[in-house]
């Protein structure tokens, strides 16, 4: 079996049917493509900067950015800032995602709950959470409450929408099958509704985790005295573009790590699904 035939294999075949050697080759090829392209871009970036075609004060070279990162690491700024930012994002995601999960379950299961608050939720959802920053400052001040509240507002809607649509999108024939077996309402919810809706719910949590990081970036611009945003605000005042870009890259790495964690959770919770090797 050739590599091209493996890549075109039907989705309903389990990875176990593919020889281990070919699975490793596929895995290596996919990750090689993901790594090579960023590496080439960084290489050209460094070459352009070394040739003097880029202004160091506006767009510093990758080596300069790396030196700035090492500078902040040796001073202990990164080690102090990261736990603060992660705590903000985690707390906001936990409260926002948990609230969205509960509201989505209730709206999905009960028509009365949907009629009660789905329309207001849909209207509020259309408002960009960044536009709420001035209001949150007025309502909650410039302390931690406004920052966490903004992250909650960013993360609640992805979980709510995916949970609601995951439950409402269940095939009615499955519920009829449950009735045919004289299953109680509780058993239908436990054995039919939640397992079928779980992929959509987990997708909602994955989107919410990304939205929480976006909310963190916006929240930490509100008079932060700790966290990654505090470092970036100081870098802006002193016009340290190298520190600014290194901070942005830290946010990007956090986003990648969070997405990998959510993928790992999804693969283990939904172990019955056929997954890609990557």
């Amino acid at each position: 079996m050739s590599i091209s035939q493996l890549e075109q294999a039907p989705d309903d075949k389990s990875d176990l049917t593919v020889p281990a050697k070919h699975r490793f080759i596929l895995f290596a090829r996919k990750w090689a493509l993901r790594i090579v392209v960023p590496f080439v871009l960084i290489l050209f970036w460094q070459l352009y900067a070394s040739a003097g075609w880029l202004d160091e004060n506006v767009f510093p070279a990758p080596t300069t950015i790396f030196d700035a990162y090492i500078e902040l690491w040796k001073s202990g700024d990164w080690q102090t800032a990261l736990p603060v930012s992660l705590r903000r994002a985690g707390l906001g995601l936990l409260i926002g995602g948990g609230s969205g999960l509960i509201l989505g379950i209730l709206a999905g299961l009960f028509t009365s709950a949907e009629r009660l608050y789905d329309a207001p939720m849909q209207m509020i959802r259309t408002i960009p959470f960044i536009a709420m920053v001035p209001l949150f400052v007025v309502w909650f001040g410039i302390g931690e409450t406004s920052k966490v509240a903004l992250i909650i507002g960013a993360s609640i809607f992805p979980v709510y929408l995916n949970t609601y649509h995951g439950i409402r999108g269940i095939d009615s024939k499955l519920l009829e099958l449950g009735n045919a077996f004289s299953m109680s309402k509780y058993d239908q919810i436990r054995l039919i509704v939640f397992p079928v809706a779980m992929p959509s719910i987990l997708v909602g949590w994955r989107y919410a985790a990304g939205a929480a990081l976006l909310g963190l970036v916006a929240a930490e611009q509100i008079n932060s005295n700790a966290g990654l945003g505090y470092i970036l605000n100081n870098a802006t005042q002193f016009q340290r573009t190298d520190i600014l870009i290194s901070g942005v890259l830290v946010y990007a790495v956090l986003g990648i790590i969070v997405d990998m964690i959510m993928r790992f959770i999804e693969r283990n919770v939904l172990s019955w699904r056929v997954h890609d090797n990557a």
Side-chain angles (χ1 to χ4, degrees), residues 52-231:
W53 296 340
L54 298 176
D55 186 351
E56 278 286 323
N57 295 322
V58 178
F59 208 177
T63 52
T64 305
I65 296 171
F66 181 76
D67 291 338
Y69 178 85
I70 296 299
E71 173 189 342
L72 292 176
W73 182 267
K74 289 182 177 179
S75 66
D77 289 342
W78 287 133
Q79 297 93 315
T80 303
L82 279 173
V84 175
S85 295
L86 291 176
R87 183 171 64 250
R88 288 170 180 161
L91 181 60
L93 176 62
L94 180 63
I95 298 175
S99 301
L101 179 65
I102 294 173
L103 293 174
I105 290 174
L106 293 176
L109 294 177
F110 305 104
T111 305
S112 57
E114 177 195 7
R115 293 173 179 172
L116 179 64
Y117 56 77
D118 182 67
M121 291 286 288
Q122 297 294 344
M123 287 188 293
I124 298 174
R125 179 181 66 87
T126 60
I127 303 174
F129 66 88
I130 295 180
M132 299 297 291
V133 171
L135 274 177
F136 278 29
V137 171
V138 173
W139 291 343
F140 306 112
I142 58 176
E144 287 296 307
T145 304
S146 60
K147 298 177 179 59
V148 175
L150 188 64
I151 298 171
I152 292 173
S155 58
I156 187 173
F157 296 106
V159 179
Y160 169 76
L161 289 174
N162 281 275
T163 301
Y164 169 75
H165 287 292
I167 294 176
R168 285 302 176 96
I170 294 175
D171 192 345
S172 59
K173 293 181 180 179
L174 293 175
L175 299 178
E176 293 175 2
L177 181 64
N179 292 328
F181 282 95
S182 300
M183 296 175 63
S184 65
K185 186 73 173 179
Y186 172 77
D187 287 336
Q188 288 186 23
I189 294 173
R190 181 173 62 90
L191 299 176
I192 297 177
V193 174
F194 280 160
V196 176
M198 188 58 66
S200 181
I201 294 174
L202 290 178
V203 168
W205 275 100
R206 185 175 168 189
Y207 284 140
L213 283 178
L214 293 177
L216 175 68
V217 175
E220 292 195 327
Q221 304 306 311
I222 307 174
N223 195 36
S224 293
N225 55 12
L228 295 176
Y230 176 68
I231 294 177

Side-chain angles (χ1 to χ4, degrees), residues 243-262:
I243 295 180
L244 282 173
I245 296 179
S246 67
V248 171
L249 292 178
V250 169
Y251 278 123
V253 171
L254 286 178
I256 294 173
I257 293 175
V258 168
D259 189 69
M260 291 175 64
I261 293 173
M262 298 306 297

Side-chain angles (χ1 to χ4, degrees), residues 7-15 273-275:
E7 291 177 337
Q8 296 174 359
D11 294 336
D12 58 349
K13 290 185 178 180
S14 171
D15 290 343
R273 299 180 67 187
V274 177
H275 298 281

